[in-house]
Amino acid sequence: MTYDPTGHLLLTPVDREAPERVRRLRQLGFGDRPDPAFDEFAHKLAEVTGAPFSMVNFIDEHRQFFAGLHTPSGMHTGSDLGAAAVAGDGGVSRFMARDHGYCPHVVVRRKALVLEDVCDYPRFAGNPVVDEIGIRSYLGAPLIDRTGIALGTICVVDTEPRPWGRAGLETIKSLAAELIEQIHRREDGRI
């Protein structure tokens, strides 16, 4: 566990790799604008898992950016930086503060994370996305590229607890590997 200088538990992990990640994201041209291919991949994530929300998420030192985003029908996406992913107009923002959500944990841990009911985990139940957005379950995996940098995550969330189980874990890890292969083909100019 990590503590700040006053001895309080930090809910968001320290991310020493962030500067290197930002350089790599800039090299790839990711992290600051929506990408139709990533939106399509987020839609696939939602279809495969049956989750209402899914994201391809790149993370810098201060915020998260959903380069790929799938939301339930009828919701629209915006680009305002807000405290949470839900924008004031009822839409879903593509930006979220780094201290919101669970993807920063996945990036720092470099391992997939399954939270069938976030309220079962005191460390995660206090996250702002629980009260501000109503997130109750999370399934995410890191996007670790050929240079060894965790660029971000793919994830799905729901406002209801979900029994993701081992099958969900294997699915999200497999889909992360699939997206990393697409990113490598794009970088190599094969897409």
Side-chain angles (χ1 to χ4, degrees), residues 32-51:
D32 61 358
R33 64 185 176 281
D35 186 305
F38 293 146
D39 280 341
E40 186 177 312
F41 197 87
H43 179 72
K44 177 181 179 174
L45 285 170
E47 279 187 340
V48 168
T49 62

Side-chain angles (χ1 to χ4, degrees), residues 63-179:
R63 67 181 186 182
Q64 303 174 67
F65 176 69
F66 306 130
L69 178 62
H70 172 86
T71 62
S73 296
M75 293 188 86
H76 62 280
T77 58
S79 59
D80 297 332
L81 178 61
V86 176
D89 61 2
V92 177
S93 174
R94 291 216 180 231
F95 295 96
M96 190 163 70
R98 191 180 169 281
D99 65 350
H100 284 55
Y102 310 106
C103 291
H105 295 272
V106 171
V107 166
V108 170
R109 291 167 22 126
R110 302 172 65 84
K111 291 173 42 178
L113 178 63
V114 179
L115 299 172
E116 294 182 344
D117 185 342
V118 299
C119 294
D120 290 343
Y121 302 89
R123 178 176 187 169
F124 298 118
N127 195 285
V129 297
V130 175
D131 293 332
E132 294 175 18
I133 305 173
I135 298 303
R136 286 295 301 275
S137 62
Y138 172 91
L139 178 63
L143 295 170
I144 300 173
D145 80 346
R146 63 176 64 146
T147 68
I149 294 174
L151 302 173
T153 67
I154 59 169
C155 70
V156 294
V157 297
D158 201 338
T159 56
E160 301 292 329
R162 295 284 298 263
W164 303 112
R166 168 119 352 243
L169 176 64
E170 294 307 318
T171 297
I172 201 75
K173 288 166 55 176
S174 174
L175 289 165
E178 181 181 324
L179 184 56

